[in-house]
Amino acid sequence: MKKIYPTISPFPRQDKAYQKLLDDVTRLLVYGGAAGGGKTWLGCEWLLLMCYRYPGTKWFIGRNELTRLMGSSYLTWRRVLKFHSIPDSDWVFNGQYHYIEFVEGTAKGSRIDLLDLAYQPRDPDFERFGSLEYTGGWIEEGGEIHFKAFDVLKTRIGRMMNTEYNLLPKLLITCNPTHNWLYRLFYKPFKEGKLPDGHAFIKALYTDNPYTADSYGKQLDTIIDPTLRARLRNGDWEYGENNSIFNYDAIIDMFTNTVEISNEKYLTGDIARYGHDKTVEGIWQGWNLQQVFWDVKQGIDVTITKTRSRIIESGIPYSHTVLDDDGVGGGAVDSLKGVKGFVGNATPIKRVDPKTKKEIKENYRNLRSQCEFIFAEKVNNHEVSISAPLSEQEKEWIIEELQQIKSTENSGDQPLQIVSKDSIKEALGRSPDFADMLMMRAYFELQPKKVFIQQQQVGGVKSLYEGMPG
Ligand SMILES: Nc1ncnc2c1ncn2[C@@H]1O[C@H](COP(=O)(O)OP(=O)(O)OP(=O)(O)O)[C@@H](O)[C@H]1O
Ligand SMILES: [Mg+2]
């Protein structure tokens, strides 16, 4: 039998990607940018090439929804095979279990699984992929994928004939610009020249693709929405932040910032009201978040007990503790006498300029908006750090939530206001519990400054507060 090997004709940007996909260094490659940048073609053709070069290997194509994988990426797959004159008799598609298998010819024995990467509440940790074994794989439209799906899948490669063929496990991720883990783990480090070994990022533009640049260009020119246009037409990863009051890079920088640590400790807590919400508490030293605790479906009595022991163990004054005071949170505030209750809808707190002693003219709709704006200013000025040991998933939650804290589009003379909690919940699909816990730290910025004396003692520094209200 005559062996056939597909001959590819990538355009220069795809060629760059091939160099990474075929080298002995790269394990994770993100090829991401504008629509029409040749992303899907690259993924299909790379897998085709690998199946033919290395018969018996096993690969996957994963996308958020299998129906969309079938409705678009699979169609490109068929076109790629036709383009390379692969005989129909060489392969079959199993519609029941969704895999492509080469049954004849040079690639005989190779196989590609089509995976549905959608988040399923009954499988939050993507354990359904936990026992799969692949040579390598491709995540299509990575912007739609939960971080955990990526995190699990990257451990499932390098397990099928990689040793026999001396193949490095490789994961290709194609995507449009998205402000999620792709930005944080690939785009930002790429921009700063800090990509870890084995990671690569290639920015793709529709103008790179000579096959369709004209037709895509005409279509993309008609996009009016500026954010969508920036992402899909211009392949711009730093697209507008849609009124988010937080600068995106500044949010991410919190995890690596070092800020001056004061001696003052605080605890801020968002207490769960409903079954699904999380109770999230954070312990701060100055503006550094040192510890984060969260629980789901926890009764208020347990919350009170845990909060009390955290306050005591960390030596936090009760008056340096703030818990939200709506609904269930109020119960905790009542039981822990001396802690502050945070009422988001309360009137903003008047501030006095410490130098001029004059009241600072600020115009906020309510206390919640006031604290969000003050907190955002601190974050954007790189004055907040998070040293608490957090998982990638927890970081992801924080980043996602803060991005949804947007200002309403007011005319200049109206009070500054944050969009309603309901619209934030709608955008996130959950309550912004971490963001609320963080924002409440700003509450202490609004309290009159206290005089305090530091006493050096065996075992550390103890702060003695004087003249503290409440
Ligand atoms: N190497 C190639 N050889 C031949 N044709 C190609 C090649 N790369 C891309 N094309 C052509 O360009 C078209 C657009 O490419 P592709 O679908 O891969 O872009 P995309 O970045 O996935 O676009 P979208 O953002 O719409 O998903 C393909 O349908 C194909 O016709
Ligand atoms: Mg595509």
Side-chain angles (χ1 to χ4, degrees), residues 9-11 14 34-41 45 79 83 141 176 209 211-212 216:
S9 47
F11 50 82
Q14 286 176 332
K39 304 182 295 291
T40 305
W41 193 279
E45 204 173 45
R79 287 180 47 216
F83 182 86
E141 302 292 359
N176 292 126
N209 180 354
Y211 297 99
T212 51
Y216 260 89

Side-chain angles (χ1 to χ4, degrees), residues 4-232:
I4 55 163
Y5 294 104
T7 311
I8 55 169
S9 47
F11 50 82
R13 192 77 69 156
Q14 286 176 332
D15 182 58
K16 265 188 150 181
Y18 271 112
Q19 288 173 27
K20 302 285 181 198
L21 290 169
L22 302 175
D23 70 11
D24 290 330
V25 187
T26 310
R27 287 166 180 268
L28 301 169
L29 168 65
V30 172
Y31 184 83
K39 304 182 295 291
T40 305
W41 193 279
L42 172 74
C44 294
E45 204 173 45
W46 171 57
L47 291 187
L48 178 71
L49 202 68
M50 298 313 274
C51 287
Y52 272 82
R53 277 201 189 176
Y54 306 104
T57 48
K58 194 172 164 209
W59 307 82
F60 69 82
I61 307 176
R63 191 167 174 176
N64 198 30
E65 283 166 46
L66 194 58
T67 43
R68 286 168 66 200
L69 181 54
M70 291 307 299
S72 83
S73 320
Y74 180 69
L75 298 184
T76 306
W77 166 260
R78 295 186 69 102
R79 287 180 47 216
V80 169
L81 263 64
K82 204 159 171 218
F83 182 86
H84 287 287
S85 310
I86 301 293
D88 280 350
S89 55
D90 267 19
W91 64 288
V92 289
F93 172 65
N94 183 315
Q96 191 182 356
Y97 296 106
H98 302 104
Y99 64 84
I100 292 159
E101 190 177 13
F102 288 89
V103 287
E104 284 298 334
T106 315
K108 190 172 175 180
S110 294
R111 166 175 159 151
I112 303 171
D113 284 358
L114 307 186
L115 303 180
D116 189 322
L117 305 187
Y119 176 85
Q120 297 173 358
R122 65 189 140 83
D123 181 26
D125 294 326
F126 292 89
E127 282 168 18
R128 64 188 190 273
F129 303 134
S131 58
L132 301 178
E133 307 215 308
Y134 295 108
T135 315
W138 166 35
I139 295 178
E140 164 82 311
E141 302 292 359
E144 301 167 355
I145 303 298
H146 271 243
F147 170 77
K148 270 249 168 90
F150 156 74
D151 208 28
V152 169
L153 283 173
K154 74 179 194 303
T155 68
R156 307 314 310 163
I157 55 178
R159 293 166 179 270
M160 182 57 83
M161 302 193 76
N162 295 71
T163 320
E164 288 86 335
Y165 285 123
N166 194 20
L167 283 176
L168 211 61
K170 297 207 181 235
L171 181 62
L172 166 68
I173 303 161
T174 52
C175 57
N176 292 126
T178 313
H179 286 175
N180 70 349
W181 52 273
L182 284 163
Y183 186 102
R184 184 163 54 87
L185 299 179
F186 291 90
Y187 176 71
K188 190 165 185 277
F190 160 77
K191 186 177 69 168
E192 294 168 350
K194 292 182 189 161
L195 268 178
D197 288 348
H199 290 51
F201 173 88
I202 294 173
K203 184 172 168 174
L205 298 172
Y206 77 88
T207 44
D208 295 331
N209 180 354
Y211 297 99
T212 51
D214 286 349
S215 59
Y216 260 89
K218 282 197 190 97
Q219 260 179 27
L220 296 171
D221 278 344
T222 63
I223 301 178
I224 294 167
D225 178 75
T227 304
L228 204 61
R229 189 180 166 91
R231 292 176 58 229
L232 299 188

